[in-house]
Amino acid sequence: MIAAFALLLAFQLAGEALRVALHLPVPGPVIGMALLLVWLVMRRGPDEPLRHTAGNLLQNLSLMFVPAGTGVMLHIGRLTDEAWPIAVALVASTVLGLAATGLTLHLLTRNRSTGENQ
Amino acid sequence: MNPGSMTEIWVYLSTQPLLWLTLTLAAYLVAIALHRKSGGHPAVNPVLISVAILVCLLMATGTPYQRYFDGAQFVHFLLGPTTVALAVPLHAQFKRLLAMGGPILIALVVGSLVAGLSAYAIGALLGASAPTVASLAPKSVTTPIAMGIAERLGGLASLTAVFVILTGIFGAIFADGLLRRLGVKDEASVGFALGLAAHGIGTARAFQLSEQTGAFAALAMGLNGLFTAITLPWLLPLLAPLLK
């Protein structure tokens, strides 16, 4: 488990290094995810400890957003002053984004859905 | 134990990272237990419940957010390696992702532009202030990317983080019901929509549905972060004059 965790940190570190070196607009962990994916494709998949550690972390992905989410308390003033435009913009654009994305992919792949369910 | 020594213990512990780290995990465990008890109902969202518990505790004890974060940062740090770990489910779906490359790219462009530009346009038309509008635009993107984009657009990074989280919670609660009503039920489309419109929190919800749904959400989250970071900073200045 420590070896797998060290591997994840090493890929995150490599991602951060690439981001700084190449001035990329994407955060280090996302670059690290892409690098690990390439590595997994080359190695034909994760070993058991990595699969286990990744599964454990991802099962608790919600937890990792709690500290940043609690920061909502810093902005309660602005959120109540501009509650109406903020609420409408967040709700409407999220509904539109979900519908546009889901419908587009669904309609473009509908014809192959029988082949995908194998 | 007399009340005086209770106060002393509290004064000591409340300045230690250990207290708020422990309470963060405890709030999350309560939220997860409630989520399980509800049979995995999307409205009983673990992030929402944890945050609500912690904000109540912090306000009741008069604890500033910065002191809370001194402890909670250890959990926050895990977001990095966990993001890297998303490569594992992505790899498991890799062949399917490659076979769907064309449709995925089209859905990315359509969804990303709709989510970002509509937030900006609606906020501006309803009269939100300029920093609020600039902070709204990247709200569908994963937090660290969104904060970087907002700063370039003249928004407030910490406000953007709040919008990102609120968007994620809202998307995670309503996405599967909404998409089902639209006739979108396949795991790939539901997952991709969740990850694109509701980033990491949507991805966490997608993993509750199935591992395949989660893999597509992880892919959408990464691609949308990249795409939005490249396109939004030069698209919004073109759109801004139209809304004045």
Side-chain angles (χ1 to χ4, degrees):
Chain A
M1 181 225 151
I2 295 296
F5 195 69
L7 185 79
L8 293 173
L9 288 180
F11 273 96
Q12 184 183 350
L13 190 63
E16 291 290 357
L18 263 181
R19 180 183 67 82
V20 175
L22 303 177
H23 304 287
L24 298 174
V26 186
V30 175
I31 301 169
M33 171 176 86
L35 294 174
L36 179 59
L37 179 62
V38 171
W39 193 71
L40 290 176
V41 169
M42 287 182 344
R43 288 213 27 194
R44 311 217 166 146
D47 58 11
E48 199 40 50
L50 178 59
R51 195 192 308 274
H52 187 75
T53 303
N56 272 339
L57 285 172
L58 289 172
Q59 252 173 25
N60 295 298
L61 183 57
S62 299
L63 168 66
M64 325 299 182
F65 292 101
V66 172
T70 304
V72 74
M73 64 186 282
L74 294 176
H75 292 284
I76 286 176
R78 187 183 285 264
L79 291 175
T80 43
D81 288 347
E82 299 185 59
W84 177 241
I86 288 173
V88 176
L90 282 185
V91 168
S93 69
T94 305
V95 166
L96 289 171
L98 281 167
T101 313
L103 280 174
T104 305
L105 190 58
H106 177 69
L107 295 176
L108 290 173
T109 56
R110 186 172 46 174
N111 299 333
R112 343 178 187 177
S113 59
T114 43
E116 275 167 14
N117 290 338
Q118 284 163 5
Chain B
M1 197 182 293
N2 68 55
S5 70
M6 279 292 283
T7 315
E8 260 171 55
I9 292 172
W10 167 256
V11 167
Y12 170 74
L13 284 182
S14 67
T15 60
Q16 298 297 307
L18 176 64
L19 175 72
W20 292 107
L21 176 60
T22 310
L23 289 176
T24 299
L25 294 179
Y28 175 71
L29 289 174
V30 169
I32 286 295
L34 289 174
H35 181 77
R36 291 233 172 93
K37 213 165 206 178
S38 74
H41 194 280
V44 189
N45 181 276
V47 183
L48 178 64
I49 296 171
S50 309
V51 167
I53 294 173
L54 288 164
V55 169
C56 289
L57 281 176
L58 291 169
M59 292 199 149
T61 58
T63 307
Y65 178 70
Q66 196 48 52
R67 192 185 296 161
Y68 162 77
F69 197 79
D70 286 344
Q73 63 177 319
F74 301 105
V75 168
H76 183 73
F77 176 81
L78 289 176
L79 198 49
T82 307
T83 304
V84 176
L86 287 167
V88 173
L90 270 180
H91 175 264
Q93 299 297 322
F94 193 62
K95 278 199 185 124
R96 230 181 125 190
L97 297 175
L98 276 188
M100 292 174 68
I104 279 178
L105 287 181
I106 296 170
L108 166 68
V109 173
V110 172
S112 182
L113 293 179
V114 168
L117 298 183
S118 66
Y120 183 84
I122 294 169
L125 290 173
L126 291 179
S129 63
T132 300
V133 173
S135 309
L136 274 170
K139 57 108 190 79
S140 281
V141 179
T142 184
T143 318
I145 305 186
M147 289 167 75
I149 298 174
E151 278 179 339
R152 250 187 290 168
L153 298 172
L156 308 166
S158 67
L159 183 63
T160 300
V162 169
F163 290 159
V164 169
I165 303 269
L166 292 176
T167 297
I169 292 173
F170 175 78
I173 290 175
F174 290 102
D176 28 318
L178 171 78
L179 291 168
R180 211 179 310 122
R181 214 155 289 173
L182 293 170
V184 179
K185 289 168 194 155
D186 61 293
E187 288 173 316
S189 302
V190 172
F192 201 78
L194 263 168
L196 189 141
H199 58 89
I201 300 178
T203 302
R205 171 66 190 155
F207 273 108
Q208 287 165 1
L209 296 172
S210 76
E211 188 177 323
Q212 291 204 7
T213 313
F216 276 89
L219 178 74
M221 178 179 73
L223 288 177
N224 189 31
L226 181 65
F227 184 77
T228 308
I230 296 168
T231 54
L232 215 50
W234 63 265
L235 263 180
L236 285 191
L238 301 177
L239 187 70
L242 304 175
L243 297 168
K244 292 254 160 78

